[in-house]
């Protein structure tokens, strides 16, 4: 099977940079995705890495290292609205995602 | 476009009752999925579909049935509700194979007493 580990909670201040790590175990996958979920809301797609390296989308960047079974999401210029839960997910098939347990990010003024 | 819609938003059932959670998308997406999310947990895949008439089981399929008679609709049926099925249910859809963005519906909160 597959499993993903993330820190349960991360705290940071407005304007700072924060990195949310994700380590995984899998026998095979197509890529690693990141989703944001505000309390009571639906997950929204942030980023996807099919290949090793860094993908940048505005203030968010995501990194994947298949040799290390490791990825991370980097959030820059943090804003209060970034307070949410962040999930990494392995893409194991056309419509099959395996999610981590999520990291709760708390941004303080 | 309305995107992915789900009904109802909230439902209370008694143990043993059956019900159908509705999911529809207006983006002409081939791929659709159902996930459940328990408190403080990530999402777990229940069933998924790669096109009309084609469905398959995910990680936690027991107690649930699905069908995909049209591209737009992907209902999830609870056969005989159990308290362990108390959860938030999300439907998701995705476009062609080159696009990795999953679009999630707003969710259905289900309480089984």
């Amino acid at each position: 099977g597959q499993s993903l580990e993330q820190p349960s909670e991360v705290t940071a201040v407005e304007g700072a940079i924060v990195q949310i790590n994700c380590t995984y175990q899998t026998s095979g996958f197509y890529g690693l995705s990141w989703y944001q979920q505000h309390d009571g809301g639906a997950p929204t797609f942030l980023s996807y890495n099919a290949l090793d390296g860094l993908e940048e989308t505005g203030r968010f960047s995501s990194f994947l290292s298949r040799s290390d079974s490791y990825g991370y999401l980097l959030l820059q210029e943090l804003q209060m609205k970034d307070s949410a839960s962040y999930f990494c997910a392995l893409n194991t098939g056309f419509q099959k995602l395996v999610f981590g347990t999520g990291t709760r990010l708390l941004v303080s003024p | 476009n309305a995107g992915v819609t789900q009904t109802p938003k909230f439902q209370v059932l008694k143990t043993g009752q059956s019900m159908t959670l509705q999911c529809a998308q207006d983006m002409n997406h081939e791929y659709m999925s159902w996930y459940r999310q328990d408190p403080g947990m990530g999402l777990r895949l229940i069933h998924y579909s790669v096109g009309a008439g084609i469905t398959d089981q995910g990680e936690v399929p027991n107690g649930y049935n699905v069908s995909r008679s049209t591209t737009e609709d992907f209902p999830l049926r609870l056969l005989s509700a159990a308290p362990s099925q108390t959860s938030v249910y999300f439907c998701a859809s995705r476009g062609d194979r080159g696009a990795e963005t999953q679009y999630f519906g707003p969710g259905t909160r289900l309480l089984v007493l």
Side-chain angles (χ1 to χ4, degrees):
Chain A
Q2 295 90 9
S3 65
L4 301 95
E5 285 192 20
Q6 302 179 235
S8 59
E9 188 172 290
V10 172
T11 59
V13 296
E14 263 188 308
I17 299 173
V18 71
Q19 178 173 313
I20 298 174
N21 297 321
C22 174
T23 57
Y24 58 84
Q25 291 185 328
T26 181
S27 56
F29 71 110
Y30 293 95
L32 186 71
S33 298
W34 288 91
Y35 285 81
Q36 178 191 62
Q37 185 179 32
H38 287 98
D39 285 347
T44 57
F45 174 81
L46 291 177
S47 188
Y48 177 72
N49 293 76
L51 304 174
D52 283 5
L54 193 68
E55 290 285 339
E56 297 180 82
T57 309
R59 294 189 296 116
F60 298 156
S61 302
S62 59
F63 173 83
L64 175 64
S65 170
R66 287 175 180 264
S67 60
D68 295 322
S69 297
Y70 165 73
Y72 66 73
L73 179 70
L74 192 72
L75 296 85
Q76 302 182 71
E77 301 173 13
L78 280 175
Q79 303 174 9
M80 295 295 290
K81 67 178 182 180
D82 296 330
S83 291
S85 293
Y86 293 84
F87 295 89
C88 57
L90 290 172
N91 181 343
T92 63
F94 285 127
Q95 191 57 2
K96 298 172 71 173
L97 290 178
V98 179
F99 282 82
T101 53
T103 298
R104 190 171 183 86
L105 171 64
L106 300 173
V107 180
S108 57
Chain B
N1 286 350
V4 180
T5 57
Q6 292 183 236
T7 56
K9 291 184 179 179
F10 182 72
Q11 183 72 47
V12 180
L13 289 179
K14 294 181 179 179
T15 296
Q17 288 184 316
S18 62
M19 79 161 294
T20 299
L21 279 63
Q22 302 292 343
C23 174
Q25 53 89 10
D26 61 359
M27 298 173 282
N28 200 33
H29 284 172
E30 291 182 72
Y31 307 104
M32 298 185 74
S33 305
W34 276 102
Y35 292 87
R36 61 176 288 175
Q37 185 175 32
D38 299 319
M41 302 285 289
L43 287 81
R44 291 184 292 168
L45 182 64
I46 304 172
H47 285 285
Y48 66 99
S49 170
V50 297
I54 307 170
T55 64
D56 206 346
Q57 296 181 351
E59 184 183 354
V60 288
N62 292 342
Y64 307 95
N65 274 353
V66 291
S67 60
R68 185 94 180 272
S69 57
T70 67
T71 300
E72 294 78 19
D73 300 299
F74 191 42
L76 177 72
R77 297 182 188 83
L78 278 70
L79 308 174
S80 177
S84 61
Q85 293 179 305
T86 293
S87 190
V88 181
Y89 291 83
F90 289 101
C91 179
S93 74
R94 181 170 71 84
D96 62 46
R97 296 181 185 184
E100 292 303 329
T101 304
Q102 294 272 354
Y103 295 89
F104 283 84
T108 294
R109 297 180 180 276
L110 178 66
L111 175 62
V112 183
L113 301 175

